[in-house]
Amino acid sequence: QVQLVESGGGLVQAGGSLRLSCAASGRTISVYAMAWFRQAPGKEREFVTSVTWISGTKDYADFVKGRFTISKNRDNAKKTVYLQMNSLKPEDTAVYYCAVRGVGQGYDYWGQGTQVTVSS
């Protein structure tokens, strides 16, 4: 089993910044990508950003481009990703989830989520 632990959420004013971290541990799998999703109250979970593990290719949802940055630990053996969130808006308020996609798989492994609240 793969365990994902997120940290770094909290309460911030609009325009502020937060940095989320996600560390994977447990069963060794071949990771294709790690990603962040979020779910706001009353809404479906949505994709935020991802990074492929070997090539480092990044993908962003349009609503975070230019504000959020995903990065990963330089040591590929340490499955850790970060999400730097700048210029936060009240509509960014959500539970943020980290997810892992194995090679040839979907996002099958999820963290418990961390709450991000942006006040106006």
Side-chain angles (χ1 to χ4, degrees), residues 40 42 55 88 91:
S55 67
L88 283 161
E91 51 263 45

Side-chain angles (χ1 to χ4, degrees), residues 60-118:
Y60 294 94
D62 287 343
F63 54 78
V64 301
K65 285 181 179 177
R67 300 190 298 124
F68 291 11
T69 303
I70 189 170
S71 60
K72 64 183 183 71
N73 195 298
R74 285 187 173 186
D75 182 352
N76 282 340
K78 296 182 179 179
K79 301 298 188 287
T80 303
V81 289
Y82 308 94
L83 181 62
Q84 179 66 43
M85 304 186 294
N86 299 328
S87 302
L88 283 161
K89 305 175 182 180
E91 51 263 45
D92 293 319
T93 295
V95 177
Y96 284 71
Y97 297 90
C98 175
V100 167
R101 180 181 175 185
V103 174
Q105 300 176 359
Y107 286 103
D108 293 334
Y109 305 99
W110 295 81
Q112 80 288 351
T114 185
Q115 176 70 46
V116 171
T117 302
V118 184

Side-chain angles (χ1 to χ4, degrees), residues 7-61:
S7 60
L11 173 64
V12 65
Q13 289 188 330
S17 299
L18 282 175
R19 187 178 188 237
L20 306 184
S21 299
C22 172
S25 63
R27 186 169 67 92
T28 300
I29 64 170
S30 295
V31 175
Y32 175 75
M34 292 185 72
W36 290 94
F37 291 75
R38 71 184 187 184
Q39 187 168 19
K43 295 186 177 181
E44 294 188 352
R45 189 174 298 187
E46 61 183 357
F47 170 82
V48 176
T49 180
S50 65
V51 58
T52 57
W53 208 249
I54 302 301
S55 67
T57 301
K58 300 176 183 180
D59 188 23
Y60 294 94

